[in-house]
Structures are given as structure tokens and as C-alpha cells.
Amino acid sequence: MTQRKPRLFSTPNLTRMAILAAAASILFLIEIPVVAFYKLDLSNIPVLLGAFSMGPAAGIVILALKSAIGLLHSSSAGVGELADFLMGAALVVPAALIYHRNKTRRSALTGMAVGTLCMAAVSVLANKYIMLPFYMGAYHMDMEGILQFAHVGGIDSEWKLLLLITAPFNLLKGAVLSAVTGLIYKPLSPLLHAKRR
């Protein structure tokens, strides 16, 4: 007799998603300055944990809940939360899809590596078409003003900012998120998996 997978919105899964979303929301408030105006946060670790244990759809639900909670204290009229959601989804969905095809440590690491590359690519697009236009409008700055605010030597054009700062920062962020998730997933696995019903 085969065991059925627990439904996405079963009571155990809903409880886990709520707890992980709350943890992600708290981590979203803790930022570590890295370069220019980019800050590292670890809020997508609970999202990755949920996506690995319950599937990509659960990861998206947790990510969406984190973004919705973030709207309560947004300093960017929701624009930052939208960009964060898009970049988070670019990391989490490929990682979870690859892992769920073959649930091994190797596939988890491969998935997170692919997700990190996707996140870096989406970060360039999200910054170019969402974040930078928002900040230029909100603070009445042109691109030269943004570059001066970033204050990084040798960065004198939008594309240099995106390709030499934004993309590498998100590669670093993805690597950190992947490393921490890889270390804590197995020890937390009994708490993350719903009982079969």
C-alpha cells in the first residue's frame, strides 16, 4: 500500500508554513551591510527549508507571507518587497524543483547553486526595472546621484553597478543562504516534515 503525500494545506503543513513565515519575517529585519547600499539578510533560509520539506508551492506561500508581513513596515511602498519576492522565488523554486526530483544532498546543493544563479540574474533585472527607478523617483535622483550614493570606486555607470556590484552581491547572498540551509536542513528535518496520513 502506497503512502499518500500530505496535502499542501493540511493542518501540519499550514502550521509549519506559518512558523517558517514568522521566522523569515524576523530575519528580514536583521540586515548586514556588505557593499554600496546592499545588505545581506537571511530571511530566505526558512523559505528554503519549507520548500525542501513541503515542496516549491509551500516555499512560494512562505515567501509571499514574508513579503506581506514586510509590507507592514515597508520603507519603499512595497517596491522592495516585490523585488525581494521575485529574487526569492528565483532562488527557491529551481532549488526545490531540482531537489524534489531526487531527494539527495547532492541534488539539494545542485538546486541551490542553480537557484543562486537564477537569483543573481533576476536581481539585475529587478534592480534595473524596479528598484533603481523607484529610488530615483522617490529621492529625485538621476543615475549619477545613485552612483554617488553607492560610493564604490570605479562604478560609473548603471550597467557597471548591476553587473559588478548587484550580481556578485546576490551570488554571495545565495552562497551564504545555501551554506546555512545545507548545514541545518538535516538536523531540522524531523520538525519540518509532516506525518504521512
Side-chain angles (χ1 to χ4, degrees), residues 47-67:
V47 182
L48 279 168
L49 293 173
F52 280 162
S53 61
M54 293 175 280
I60 290 297
V61 171
I62 296 164
L63 185 62
L65 288 171
K66 180 193 82 167
S67 297

Side-chain angles (χ1 to χ4, degrees), residues 24-193:
S25 299
I26 293 168
L27 290 173
F28 198 38
L29 299 173
I30 304 169
E31 298 178 320
I32 304 166
V34 177
V35 61
F37 35 68
Y38 294 111
K39 299 175 182 178
L40 175 66
D41 71 83
L42 303 179
S43 63
N44 282 330
I45 291 173
V47 182
L48 279 168
L49 293 173
F52 280 162
S53 61
M54 293 175 280
I60 290 297
V61 171
I62 296 164
L63 185 62
L65 288 171
K66 180 193 82 167
S67 297
I69 294 169
L71 291 174
L72 299 176
H73 50 80
S74 176
S75 60
S76 62
V79 174
E81 285 70 27
L82 172 61
D84 179 77
F85 177 84
L86 294 174
M87 290 184 282
L91 168 67
V92 169
V93 172
L97 286 173
I98 291 171
Y99 175 69
H100 279 273
R101 289 185 66 182
N102 182 24
K103 294 184 179 181
T104 64
R105 181 175 178 79
R106 183 175 180 177
S107 68
L109 294 175
T110 300
M112 288 188 289
V114 171
T116 294
L117 293 174
C118 291
M119 181 174 70
V122 170
S123 74
V124 170
L125 298 174
N127 274 269
K128 179 169 177 57
Y129 296 111
I130 299 174
M131 294 303 297
L132 292 178
F134 167 77
Y135 283 114
M136 285 191 285
Y139 296 101
H140 308 290
M141 286 192 284
D142 57 12
M143 182 51 60
E144 186 176 343
I146 291 286
L147 294 172
Q148 288 178 353
F149 182 69
H151 195 61
V152 179
I155 303 301
D156 55 9
S157 72
E158 180 182 24
W159 280 110
K160 282 186 179 180
L161 175 66
L162 294 171
L163 297 178
L164 300 180
I165 302 296
T166 305
F169 166 76
N170 280 280
L171 288 173
L172 171 65
K173 181 177 180 178
V176 171
L177 296 173
S178 298
V180 176
T181 302
L183 287 172
I184 67 175
Y185 179 69
K186 190 169 183 179
L188 293 179
S189 189
L191 299 175
L192 294 169
H193 288 85

